[in-house]
Amino acid sequence: MSAHKARRIIDQINGRSYEETLMILELMPYRACYPIFKLVYSTAANASHNRGFNEASLVISQAAVNKGTTLKRLKPRARGRSYLIKRPTCHITIVLKDLEFAHLDATTILSRGLAAKGIYPVVDPLDSTSTMLQHRIIDEEHYETMQRVKQSLQRYKELQGIIATLGLVELFKEDRLTVVRARKVECFFSQPFS
C-alpha cells in the first residue's frame, strides 16, 4: 500500500484510545484499514502480553507513515513482451502509551536496522527516551556515561554512510576507534544471534 493511502487513515487514529481506534478502523471504507487494524491489534497484544499493560488504558501516542521501497513486477503481455507494474510500499510506526504508567513516560522505538543485523531486542537507544534519564534522578557519573555512549552511537550512525562507500580502513584513527566502541556497545545492549 502506498504511504499516501496509509497516511489518510493514520491521521484519523493518531492520539485516540485503543478501543476507539479499533472502532474507527472497522467503520472506515478504505481497503488499507485492514492491515492497519491488524498492526494496531498486534501492537496492543504485544503491549498487554509482554509489558502487562491494560488494553482499556492504551492510547496511540504516535502514529507515523514513511515511504518505503517501490516493488517492481513484470506482467506478461502478448508476443513475449512484458509490462512493468510498480507497487509502492510504506513503513508504519505505531507507539502505544499506557495511561496507568504515564508517570514513567518512556518511549521505546524499535529499529528495523538492528533486526537486519540480527541484534535483538531491536530497541534503538538513540530514538528511545525516558524522563527518568536526568541528572537530578540518576547520579552524575551514570548520566555522563549515558551521554558519552549516546554521542558514540550517534557518531557511528553518521559514519555508516562513509563506511558503506569507502570502507572502515579509510576512516581516521579516532573514527575507527569510535566505530569499534559503538559496535561493542550495540552488542552489549542486546543479545546478538548472528
Side-chain angles (χ1 to χ4, degrees):
M1 115 179 66
S2 70
H4 172 71
K5 290 178 181 176
R7 196 171 290 119
R8 175 172 57 186
I9 297 160
I10 290 292
D11 289 343
Q12 298 295 320
I13 65 172
N14 202 358
R16 298 190 187 266
S17 70
Y18 168 68
E19 293 169 348
E20 186 181 6
T21 298
L22 292 183
M23 186 176 65
I24 289 171
L25 290 174
E26 285 178 357
L27 297 176
M28 285 181 84
Y30 305 118
R31 279 193 317 180
C33 288
Y34 183 67
I36 295 173
F37 178 88
K38 288 194 325 185
L39 180 65
V40 170
Y41 186 80
S42 172
T43 306
N46 285 338
S48 65
H49 182 266
N50 296 343
R51 302 275 185 193
F53 292 162
N54 183 9
E55 288 184 355
S57 63
L58 290 176
V59 172
I60 296 179
S61 64
Q62 179 186 356
V65 179
N66 296 323
K67 188 174 185 286
T69 58
T70 301
L71 299 176
K72 295 176 182 173
R73 300 286 183 252
L74 296 175
K75 184 175 182 180
R77 305 300 284 178
R79 296 184 182 180
R81 296 181 183 192
S82 62
Y83 177 72
L84 184 65
I85 298 174
K86 295 181 179 179
R87 299 284 312 263
T89 61
C90 64
H91 301 291
I92 301 172
T93 304
I94 294 182
V95 178
L96 292 176
K97 188 183 237 181
D98 192 352
L99 294 180
E100 292 176 2
F101 296 99
H103 62 283
L104 297 177
D105 198 22
T107 304
T108 304
I109 305 296
L110 304 179
S111 168
R112 292 178 193 270
L114 292 175
K117 291 180 185 176
I119 297 175
Y120 297 94
V122 291
V123 176
D124 189 348
L126 291 175
D127 293 334
S128 300
T129 59
S130 174
T131 56
M132 302 297 276
L133 294 175
Q134 300 173 8
H135 44 108
R136 63 181 175 81
I137 297 174
I138 60 176
D139 78 357
E140 193 67 33
E141 182 183 355
H142 288 99
Y143 182 78
E144 292 299 323
T145 303
M146 179 205 54
Q147 291 299 331
R148 285 196 309 270
V149 166
K150 277 189 156 186
Q151 288 171 354
S152 175
L153 289 172
Q154 183 64 41
R155 181 68 181 146
Y156 174 53
K157 194 174 186 180
E158 293 167 0
L159 291 172
Q160 283 180 338
I162 297 171
I163 294 169
T165 307
L166 301 174
L168 188 61
V169 294
E170 296 297 325
L171 294 176
F172 292 116
K173 188 174 183 177
E174 58 270 5
D175 286 339
R176 273 185 281 179
L177 186 62
T178 302
V179 168
V180 169
R181 285 180 180 161
R183 286 180 178 168
K184 286 181 181 179
V185 166
E186 239 177 20
C187 289
F188 178 76
F189 282 158
S190 62
Q191 304 163 1
F193 292 113
S194 62

